[in-house]
Amino acid sequence: MATIVGGIGVSHVPALGLAMAKNMQADPYWEPFFKGLAPARAWIDSVRPDAVVIFYNDHGLNFFLDKMPTFAVGAAPAYLNADEGWGLPVSAPFPGDPALSWRIINHLIANEFDLTTCQEMLVDHAFALPLKMLWPDGVTIPIVPVAINTVQHPLPSIHRCFNLGRTIGEAIAADPSDRRVLVIGSGGLSHQLDGERAGFINKAFDTAFLEELVTQPERLSRYSVLDVVEQAGTQGVELLMWVAMRAALGGPVRQVYQNYHIPISNTAACLLALEPSR
Amino acid sequence: MMTEPQTPRAISGTIVFDGAEAMKGYALNKMCYSFNDAANRAAFLADENGYCNRFNLSSGQIEAVKSRNALSMIRAGGNIYYLAKLIGMLGLNVQDIGAQQTGLSVDDFKAKLLQAGL
């Protein structure tokens, strides 16, 4: 049977992509974040994933307000990155795994998640940057993208995203293949780009949220989405991706590695690696 | 069990981009979404008024774009994810507009971000 080998939570700040494009990872401003990648890559090598499921939020590359799905799952043989308008280099195509995609889709819909399914899906920096950071020579294992709306409120609740992740975890566990799946949650942590409160970062909230995410993630459902906006900023709601990632791992987990750093651009950046306790 | 939608509530210095905002800002955001395409960015830069009119921006939205002021664009219904494409095309980054929105210099805005980590 397929297994989930672990989970990664990681920020996708566009500036990280620009820093990589300019090869500035060792500069004093960037080094505190990028130094965290080596241990994460070494751990990934040790758990030998051969497929990835990534929770991310589209920032206006594939989806616009004309049709805005709450949850969208990719079911394509490959996923293309494209110009987002502000200068990030376009990545090479990413391989898909339609069989795993449909297993996840079928299981989710059987469990009353009403999805948008995508046989073509442009993937933006929130998808591409974590993969480029974790596989700097290019990712060759196939990927299933799961997009969660963070653009237009109302957003799905933490409780709903937890159940989404948990149900995807069940779908993987029921897969008769011997796939070894790594789950990624892309986004966060606290940050706000817009409004008079731009630049808002909340280290105390992030720290408490991360601790509960590891130890008792179901308790996070007490926060409404607006609570998260208030406590983590308008873009801090990307924490929904982390909740879904954590829930996919199921029961108790061991924190393998954490690197939290303020600031990267306007964001409290974090890299977290979790392994299911066995 | 029925759950009521969340009641909107005031969060200081923050606009929650909900259905009302999405309707108000539709034309402006649709124009900004078009800037994923380099040819459209060039067309805007060559003829800003003409390009805004093609997307049926309201006069208030056109004024907000002309002002290059992020708060004005947000108040006109702009969503930051789409506005980022326009802002980036104009050579500004999120720290420039962070400074602009908070009334700080860019250096002071960056210092505020550093402070948040201490």
Side-chain angles (χ1 to χ4, degrees):
Chain A
M1 302 295 267
T3 48
I4 294 184
V5 297
I8 294 265
V10 62
S11 305
H12 59 229
V13 188
L16 292 170
L18 297 170
M20 282 193 288
K22 294 178 187 161
N23 212 16
M24 293 164 67
Q25 292 95 321
D27 285 17
Y29 182 85
W30 303 104
E31 190 267 347
F33 177 81
F34 282 107
K35 74 175 183 196
L37 291 176
R41 287 176 196 144
W43 169 73
I44 289 173
D45 284 347
S46 74
V47 297
R48 297 174 286 109
D50 54 22
V52 171
V53 173
I54 180 168
F55 297 97
Y56 77 106
N57 55 303
D58 179 82
H59 300 66
L61 180 66
N62 193 67
F63 298 115
F64 180 60
L65 301 172
D66 58 338
K67 307 172 195 72
M68 182 56 70
T70 296
F71 299 128
V73 180
Y79 299 94
L80 305 184
N81 182 222
D83 188 349
E84 293 184 60
W86 33 256
L88 205 57
V90 174
S91 304
F94 296 91
D97 183 341
L100 183 58
S101 289
W102 286 108
R103 171 160 291 279
I104 287 169
I105 290 165
N106 294 341
H107 191 83
L108 283 171
I109 292 178
N111 286 279
E112 302 188 335
F113 282 88
D114 304 316
L115 303 173
T116 299
T117 58
C118 304
Q119 291 200 52
E120 291 185 50
M121 192 178 193
L122 293 176
V123 289
D124 76 356
H125 66 276
F127 173 101
L129 286 182
L131 299 170
K132 280 173 113 165
M133 290 192 283
L134 297 170
W135 285 272
D137 300 324
V139 58
T140 52
I141 61 177
I143 302 150
V144 177
V146 181
I148 300 178
N149 163 40
T150 61
V151 174
Q152 175 183 275
H153 289 250
L155 313 184
S157 66
I158 288 190
H159 182 66
R160 186 67 170 157
C161 293
F162 184 91
N163 283 341
L164 176 81
R166 188 176 62 183
T167 307
I168 289 177
E170 290 166 0
I172 293 167
D175 178 5
S177 78
D178 56 1
R179 284 188 185 87
R180 298 173 59 81
V181 181
L182 178 73
V183 185
I184 298 176
S186 167
L189 300 181
S190 61
H191 64 303
Q192 175 153 343
L193 303 177
D194 49 334
E196 292 91 339
R197 204 173 67 141
F200 176 76
I201 286 175
N202 189 344
K203 186 177 180 178
F205 180 79
D206 286 342
T207 306
F209 194 100
L210 281 176
E211 187 177 330
E212 277 196 337
L213 186 81
V214 176
T215 56
Q216 356 182 29
E218 53 293 314
R219 289 201 67 229
L220 294 170
S221 295
R222 72 184 183 281
Y223 294 116
S224 70
V225 165
L226 290 180
D227 290 339
V228 178
V229 169
E230 189 160 32
Q231 294 292 321
T234 41
Q235 283 74 47
V237 290
E238 289 168 351
L239 282 165
L240 294 175
M241 315 303 141
W242 291 56
V243 169
M245 174 277 288
R246 171 65 184 88
L249 304 181
V253 295
R254 181 177 76 84
Q255 178 174 302
V256 178
Y257 184 73
Q258 187 196 126
N259 182 32
Y260 179 80
H261 172 68
I262 297 172
I264 289 294
S265 186
N266 291 16
T267 302
C270 189
L271 172 65
L272 174 71
L274 301 173
E275 203 169 76
S277 302
R278 301 198 200 283
Chain B
M1 188 190 75
M2 189 174 75
T3 304
E4 292 294 330
Q6 279 190 73
T7 314
R9 67 171 190 256
I11 300 172
S12 81
T14 300
I15 290 179
V16 173
F17 189 84
D18 59 8
E21 294 294 324
M23 288 200 294
K24 182 171 80 180
Y26 193 78
L28 172 58
N29 290 316
K30 188 169 179 178
M31 180 180 83
C32 291
Y33 181 64
S34 80
F35 297 142
N36 283 328
D37 187 325
N40 292 334
R41 299 197 291 272
F44 173 90
L45 292 171
D47 175 13
E48 181 167 331
N49 276 329
Y51 199 83
C52 288
N53 286 328
R54 258 177 61 192
F55 283 84
N56 297 316
L57 268 61
S58 69
S59 55
Q61 289 172 336
I62 292 175
E63 282 311 307
V65 170
K66 273 193 187 147
S67 75
R68 305 298 193 246
N69 182 297
L71 282 179
S72 302
M73 291 189 252
I74 290 164
R75 287 179 187 135
N79 176 286
I80 193 67
Y81 291 132
Y82 306 112
L83 292 178
K85 300 169 194 301
L86 171 61
I87 288 161
M89 172 173 65
L90 298 172
L92 301 170
N93 65 32
V94 291
Q95 296 184 339
D96 297 323
I97 62 155
Q100 191 192 62
Q101 294 177 98
T102 51
L104 299 172
S105 69
V106 174
D107 283 345
D108 286 350
F109 184 72
K110 288 181 177 172
K112 180 179 118 114
L113 293 166
L114 284 171
Q115 190 70 29
L118 303 178

